[in-house]
């Protein structure tokens, strides 16, 4: 991970797309990321975006076998928490309940997913009660 004095900036939507590809693939070249994105932008656009992300600390660039390889400069779970925290604050006026209800209402949720969510909530509740 880069040695930035603070966390990298919040990524844009396009940067999140690139991070998601790298979290899924692992270290990859610009070509591999560009192909995985399957967007209507050119290779040079992806290259420029990834270079800028490296400058910001969102990606780490290394050279392997004469190719530049990129990997996330921030852990997936850490960035997800930052993005969700920002979303809760900006869109849901600080309401975690609002975020959860919005997420559940945005697309259909299977009975199995709802059961998993209930278990996770119970586990969090027990953990919080145990730490008091």
């Amino acid at each position: 991970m880069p040695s930035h004095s603070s966390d990298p900036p919040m990524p844009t939507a396009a940067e999140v797309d690139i991070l998601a590809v790298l979290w899924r693939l692992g270290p990859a070249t610009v070509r591999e990321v560009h192909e995985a994105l399957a967007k209507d932008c050119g290779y040079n656009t992806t290259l420029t975006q990834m270079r800028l992300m490296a400058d910001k600390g969102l990606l780490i660039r290394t050279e392997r076998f004469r190719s530049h390889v990129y990997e996330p400069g921030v852990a997936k779970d850490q960035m997800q928490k930052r993005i969700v925290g920002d979303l809760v604050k900006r869109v849901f006026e600080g309401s975690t309940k609002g975020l959860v209800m919005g997420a559940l209402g945005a697309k259909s949720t299977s009975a199995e997913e709802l059961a998993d969510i209930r278990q996770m909530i119970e586990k969090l509740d027990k953990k919080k009660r145990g730490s008091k």
Side-chain angles (χ1 to χ4, degrees):
M1 300 285 157
S3 57
H4 291 279
S5 58
S6 64
D7 288 332
M10 193 66 70
T12 65
E15 291 170 342
V16 169
D17 291 343
I18 290 170
L19 283 167
V21 167
L22 289 169
W23 286 325
R24 188 175 71 248
L25 296 179
T29 64
V30 174
R31 173 91 35 221
E32 292 166 330
V33 171
H34 180 71
E35 289 171 2
L37 287 171
K39 288 190 174 183
D40 291 335
C41 67
Y43 171 86
N44 285 334
T45 301
T46 305
L47 171 64
T48 300
Q49 186 73 55
M50 290 176 69
R51 283 182 176 164
L52 291 170
M53 290 174 71
D55 290 345
K56 294 179 183 180
L58 291 167
L59 298 181
I60 299 168
R61 185 177 86 182
T62 56
E63 193 168 324
R64 294 187 196 152
F65 309 113
R66 299 180 59 204
S67 292
H68 290 286
V69 176
Y70 290 81
E71 56 190 291
V74 62
K76 181 180 180 179
D77 61 336
Q78 177 188 353
M79 185 53 74
Q80 285 175 334
K81 285 178 183 174
R82 283 187 59 207
I83 291 169
V84 169
D86 182 63
L87 190 63
V88 167
K89 184 172 66 180
R90 289 186 307 115
V91 178
F92 295 96
E93 299 173 348
S95 170
T96 304
K97 176 183 162 188
L99 172 76
V100 171
M101 295 311 293
L104 291 174
K107 69 179 208 79
S108 63
T109 308
S110 71
E112 184 180 332
E113 285 178 312
L114 286 172
D116 288 346
I117 291 167
R118 284 185 188 98
Q119 282 183 332
M120 287 187 279
I121 290 170
E122 286 175 21
K123 191 184 269 186
L124 276 173
D125 190 42
K126 285 179 185 175
K127 188 176 178 181
K128 283 186 177 182
R129 279 187 277 146
S131 65
K132 287 184 179 179

